[in-house]
């Protein structure tokens, strides 16, 4: 009698384990199980132009010209574009390895200047001190 009870209990246990293990119909792991699109990724790098046109103040322009002169650029700088941009953090869209930045939205400007056939990408935060974004 004990053997019959043990055999019956073992059979029930086996059925329960089998039912739990399958969890439902088998699916192909290479087929997406939902209609949600896959995550989109982007390549890290400088942020491209996306803001609204802006005016470069005389103080900002003077700082750009002085920075170019310090870098040995002899040609006359020409304004290519200036736009207002809201940067995602204190890196102003141009982070440098090993640096840490304020993790807050920063209203600023992106100014493209050309001199001697080379385009220079200057970024401004809240002040008149530019950061040259060197890619």
């Amino acid at each position: 009698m004990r053997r019959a009870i043990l055999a019956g209990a073992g059979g029930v246990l086996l059925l329960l384990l089998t039912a739990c293990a399958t969890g439902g119909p088998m699916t192909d792991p290479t087929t997406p199980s939902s209609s949600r699109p896959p995550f989109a990724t982007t390549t890290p790098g400088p942020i491209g132009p996306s803001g609204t046109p802006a005016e470069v103040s005389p103080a900002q322009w003077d700082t750009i010209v002085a920075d170019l002169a310090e870098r040995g650029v002899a040609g006359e700088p020409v304004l290519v574009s200036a736009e207002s941009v809201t940067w995602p953090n204190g890196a102003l869209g141009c982070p440098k390895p090993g640096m840490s930045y304020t993790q807050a939205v920063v209203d600023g400007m992106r100014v493209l200047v050309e001199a001697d056939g080379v385009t220079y990408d200057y970024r401004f935060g809240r002040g008149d001190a530019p950061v040259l974004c060197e890619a």
Side-chain angles (χ1 to χ4, degrees):
M1 174 96 171
R2 271 187 157 186
R3 285 187 183 181
I5 293 174
L6 285 175
V12 169
L13 181 61
L14 183 62
L15 285 173
L16 286 173
L17 289 174
T18 305
C20 291
T22 60
M26 295 295 290
T27 58
D28 180 6
T30 61
T31 305
S33 61
S34 72
S35 60
R36 182 178 71 190
F39 291 110
T41 59
T42 59
T43 310
I47 296 174
S50 63
T52 57
E55 292 287 324
V56 178
S57 73
Q60 290 170 324
W61 183 253
D62 290 343
T63 346
I64 290 172
V65 172
D67 184 70
L68 288 172
E70 284 180 24
R71 295 174 187 278
V73 178
E76 183 68 28
V78 176
L79 180 66
V80 175
S81 68
E83 60 186 346
S84 296
V85 179
T86 300
W87 305 109
N89 56 40
L92 306 180
C94 196
K96 293 183 178 147
M99 297 292 294
S100 58
Y101 299 96
T102 302
Q103 296 302 306
V105 175
V106 177
D107 291 328
M109 185 183 333
R110 179 178 189 213
V111 179
L112 296 179
V113 176
E114 188 175 306
D116 292 337
V118 178
T119 303
Y120 298 90
D121 183 355
Y122 282 96
R123 310 292 174 93
F124 289 90
R126 293 189 172 103
D128 288 335
V131 174
L132 180 61
C133 187
E134 300 173 283

